[in-house]
Amino acid sequence: MEKHQFNVGMSSRTRDGDLSDLGKELDELQELGVDFVELSAFDFDLIVGGRIRRSQMKTLLDICGGRDLPYSVHGPLALNFMDTPDRLPLHFQLLEASLDIAAELGAKHYVLHAGMTMESTPTLWQNAYDRQREWLFRAGDLARERDLHICVETLYEHDEWKHTPRPSQLAAELEAIAHPNICATLDFGHSYLKLDAENRRSDLVSECATLAPQTRHLHLHDCFGRQEGMWTYTFSEQLALGLGDLHLPIGWGDIPWAELMTQCVYPKDAMFVIELNPRYFHAARECLARARSLATLASSRIQEIADTPDQAA
């Protein structure tokens, strides 16, 4: 039997709608040896008022085409199916256009952030979850028509948002939605920050293990899982204190990577995506090597299960 190995890729930079240097970046990523690229399409100015901007889409297709490079697509961060009911049709319109873009690029995975709510009363959160379940099931039908999987990403509360699901809660939501084209993106840094806010830092591995079987997309970047509760003058000072969603090279923070690979079981078709802060691109080659080592650890866990008679049966 051929040994299983996960594909490892890297996300493209955000670029304020200017695609003029995207081709150069893709050249650099190909030279590094990534297996695929996650396109930060939410920042490419591809959609205007819910409609695809065809001239910009043609530019993107011309840049991305003709390369031996598969793509995944990160959808707009503003999409939020836990938002107030009156806004949900607008979110759905944006999602549909964004899924069309992903399909035209030949992507199979589309990353969508989990919902967030401004409700501060826990008893009202269930209403937001009900909305998300209904609209994500509809989204799954759109994805199925386009041969896509929507991978719902773990988040943490920021910018005055009051609640978003922790990994185990997202796992329960996906089980309730029960749509074959709706699965998870497990962002380890986001999950760490979310659990830190709940004083549950030590639960990171067990929480991720609960969501892992539903995860087709993994976001790898490092941090210290510390809230941004202190004022800092520069990002360098934020880095010095280890605060917030830093998107550091793997190994710079204190996420327990080995445990997350050996104690979680991911689907065989899961994709490992490095999301690196552009200021650390100088460390991209080293980071890619570390990510491949982690992917090998995760593959060994799958092989270990397959080689166990009662599990293989």
Side-chain angles (χ1 to χ4, degrees), residues 45-57 90 92-98 100-101 104:
D45 285 2
L46 293 166
I47 302 173
V48 179
R51 298 190 301 271
I52 296 175
R53 183 183 167 203
R54 277 292 150 196
S55 60
Q56 187 80 334
M57 187 67 203
L90 188 60
F92 199 69
Q93 180 188 22
L94 176 56
L95 174 69
E96 185 166 12
S98 190
D100 284 340
I101 288 168
E104 287 192 46

Side-chain angles (χ1 to χ4, degrees), residues 19-247:
L19 302 182
S20 60
D21 65 342
L22 176 60
K24 179 176 181 293
E25 183 184 11
L26 295 179
D27 290 341
E28 292 171 344
L29 293 174
Q30 283 187 282
E31 191 278 328
L32 281 175
V34 300
D35 298 322
F36 66 96
V37 171
E38 179 173 296
L39 294 169
S40 301
F42 57 85
D43 198 45
F44 289 178
D45 285 2
L46 293 166
I47 302 173
V48 179
R51 298 190 301 271
I52 296 175
R53 183 183 167 203
R54 277 292 150 196
S55 60
Q56 187 80 334
M57 187 67 203
K58 181 180 183 305
T59 298
L60 179 60
L61 290 170
D62 289 344
I63 292 169
C64 293
R67 298 174 182 270
D68 185 20
L69 191 62
Y71 302 102
S72 62
V73 169
H74 199 309
L77 278 63
L79 285 172
N80 180 9
F81 290 116
M82 291 176 77
D83 205 349
T84 56
D86 58 302
R87 295 174 177 171
L88 296 180
L90 188 60
H91 285 294
F92 199 69
Q93 180 188 22
L94 176 56
L95 174 69
E96 185 166 12
S98 190
L99 289 174
D100 284 340
I101 288 168
E104 287 192 46
L105 288 162
K108 299 301 181 184
H109 290 185
Y110 174 92
V111 178
L112 170 70
H113 278 187
M116 306 182 82
T117 179
M118 288 288 185
E119 293 286 357
S120 57
T121 306
T123 55
L124 296 178
W125 293 346
Q126 188 56 51
N127 295 333
Y129 276 115
D130 290 344
R131 294 193 293 273
Q132 180 172 247
R133 289 181 184 182
E134 176 187 350
W135 287 85
L136 277 182
F137 191 90
R138 296 185 191 182
D141 288 343
L142 293 182
R144 180 166 49 197
E145 293 166 3
R146 293 158 177 79
D147 194 24
L148 286 163
H149 281 87
I150 294 175
C151 306
V152 184
E153 180 177 349
T154 53
L155 286 181
Y156 63 99
E157 291 83 5
H158 58 83
D159 296 330
E160 306 304 319
W161 292 101
K162 304 302 182 186
H163 179 72
T164 191
R166 74 177 76 95
S168 62
Q169 289 173 320
L170 180 57
E173 289 303 298
L174 295 179
E175 289 179 5
I177 292 166
H179 195 295
N181 293 76
I182 301 293
C183 52
T185 295
L186 180 46
D187 187 303
F188 297 104
H190 292 174
S191 300
Y192 201 13
L193 286 160
K194 165 65 179 175
L195 293 167
D196 177 75
E198 296 184 348
N199 295 313
R200 299 181 58 176
R201 291 171 61 90
S202 62
D203 292 341
L204 177 63
V205 175
S206 62
E207 281 279 326
C208 290
T210 301
L211 183 59
Q214 297 158 288
T215 298
R216 285 176 175 263
H217 225 62
L218 291 81
H219 280 172
L220 283 72
H221 52 90
D222 223 332
C223 69
F224 295 90
R226 299 174 187 165
Q227 306 304 301
E228 290 186 50
M230 298 170 61
W231 177 83
T232 55
Y233 183 57
T234 65
F235 180 85
S236 188
E237 292 185 353
Q238 182 180 338
L239 173 66
L241 291 164
L243 304 179
D245 191 20
L246 297 167
H247 284 258

